[in-house]
């Protein structure tokens, strides 16, 4: 089944589920077609699932008291996205998860990884490594927001999301970076000027 290609690769190459067992994993998730601007999670709801992006683009964001958006994460193809705090501790979420594009998303229920490890114990180590990498990325993101210049944050963004600049409006990139769209425009012009001088 062609539409399973990305999730198949994730299971076999990342989690190291035996190739011959891949088809049996389809019992652990369901495919959901998500329209652009459709929400998979709203603030105040308890997050019950993790979402694997087969095709398309999702984002997770919060709203402050003035209604301003703060984008926490983008999730393009082959990425996982979830409110882990809400999922793990049964807390009401502070976040929204929304489709930036028409998307195809595999919905992994709360027990997905537990069931996977029970059936394929060898996946436990890889799953734990994924979790540790996620924690590291969050720590690096917090430190970047506190300590890096806007230009450094922008370069880190490009490294993490190399194809997203062409898929989202500039205000979303600025929201992720914690700067205004005007500041982002200045950063991009300055980088273009530097590149022009060195070329």
């Amino acid at each position: 089944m062609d539409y399973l290609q990305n999730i198949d690769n994730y299971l076999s190459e990342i989690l190291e589920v035996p190739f011959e067992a891949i088809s049996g994993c389809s019992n652990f998730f369901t495919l959901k077609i998500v329209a652009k601007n459709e929400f998979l999670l709203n603030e105040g709801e308890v997050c019950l699932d993790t979402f694997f992006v087969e095709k398309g683009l999702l984002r997770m964001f919060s709203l402050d008291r003035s209604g301003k958006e703060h984008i926490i994460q983008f999730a393009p193809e082959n990425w996982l996205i979830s409110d882990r705090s809400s999922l793990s501790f049964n807390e009401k979420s502070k976040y929204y998860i929304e489709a930036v594009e028409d998307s195809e998303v595999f919905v992994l229920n709360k027990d997905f990884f537990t069931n996977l490890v029970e059936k394929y114990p060898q996946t436990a180590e890889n799953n734990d490594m994924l979790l540790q990498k996620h924690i590291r990325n969050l720590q690096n993101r917090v430190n970047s927001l506190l300590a890096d210049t806007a230009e450094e944050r922008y370069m880190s963004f490009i490294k993490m999301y190399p194809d997203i600049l062409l898929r989202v409006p500039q205000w979303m990139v600025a929201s992720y970076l914690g700067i205004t769209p005007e500041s982002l425009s200045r950063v991009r012009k300055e980088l273009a000027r530097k590149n022009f001088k060195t070329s």
Side-chain angles (χ1 to χ4, degrees):
M1 298 174 68
D2 292 339
Y3 71 79
L4 288 179
Q5 183 176 2
N6 286 338
I7 191 73
D8 283 355
N9 289 340
Y10 168 74
L11 291 168
S12 63
E13 297 179 13
I14 306 300
L15 294 181
E16 297 187 359
V17 174
F19 183 77
E20 63 275 10
I22 293 294
S23 60
C25 292
S26 60
N27 296 326
F28 298 159
F29 50 76
T30 56
L31 178 65
K32 182 177 178 66
I33 306 301
V34 188
K36 181 179 179 179
N37 300 325
E38 182 178 342
F39 287 87
L40 291 166
L41 179 69
N42 287 284
E43 181 184 12
E45 297 176 346
V46 175
C47 185
L48 301 175
D49 305 294
T50 298
F51 306 104
F52 177 90
V53 182
E54 178 70 15
K55 180 180 179 182
L57 178 64
L58 306 181
R59 67 178 182 129
M60 183 164 74
F61 67 94
S62 64
L63 292 177
D64 64 22
R65 292 177 181 176
S66 66
K68 182 180 178 181
E69 292 187 10
H70 301 276
I71 296 178
I72 308 302
Q73 180 188 348
F74 289 103
E77 289 83 1
N78 298 305
W79 280 58
L80 293 168
I81 189 169
S82 181
D83 180 352
R84 289 180 176 268
S85 294
S86 179
L87 185 69
S88 299
F89 301 107
N90 202 40
E91 300 172 345
K92 291 183 179 180
S93 181
K94 299 177 182 178
Y95 304 105
Y96 299 85
I97 296 178
E98 180 191 25
V100 180
E101 303 171 348
D102 291 340
S103 302
E104 297 177 9
V105 175
F106 283 102
V107 181
L108 318 180
N109 66 34
K110 188 173 184 179
D111 299 321
F112 171 80
F113 291 105
T114 301
N115 291 335
L116 197 66
V117 169
E118 286 179 356
K119 194 166 184 179
Y120 310 109
Q122 72 278 11
T123 65
E125 182 177 348
N126 292 332
N127 182 43
D128 182 66
M129 181 58 66
L130 285 176
L131 180 58
Q132 298 306 320
K133 287 181 178 180
H134 177 71
I135 293 171
R136 180 185 65 184
N137 288 337
L138 287 178
Q139 289 177 328
N140 288 341
R141 176 147 163 65
V142 170
N143 185 66
S144 177
L145 287 170
L146 293 172
D148 288 349
T149 65
E151 182 176 312
E152 289 169 336
R153 276 179 265 166
Y154 180 69
M155 296 306 295
S156 295
F157 175 87
I158 293 174
K159 185 176 181 180
M160 178 167 287
Y161 299 114
D163 69 332
I164 284 185
L165 286 176
L166 301 178
R167 300 170 67 177
V168 300
Q170 183 165 298
W171 71 263
M172 284 192 184
V173 178
S175 174
Y176 178 90
L177 297 176
I179 60 177
T180 65
E182 294 76 17
S183 294
L184 175 57
S185 181
R186 287 194 293 270
V187 167
R188 295 176 71 171
K189 287 178 181 178
E190 180 63 18
L191 285 171
R193 185 185 65 81
K194 289 179 180 178
N195 290 334
F196 178 77
K197 280 188 173 182
T198 58
S199 62

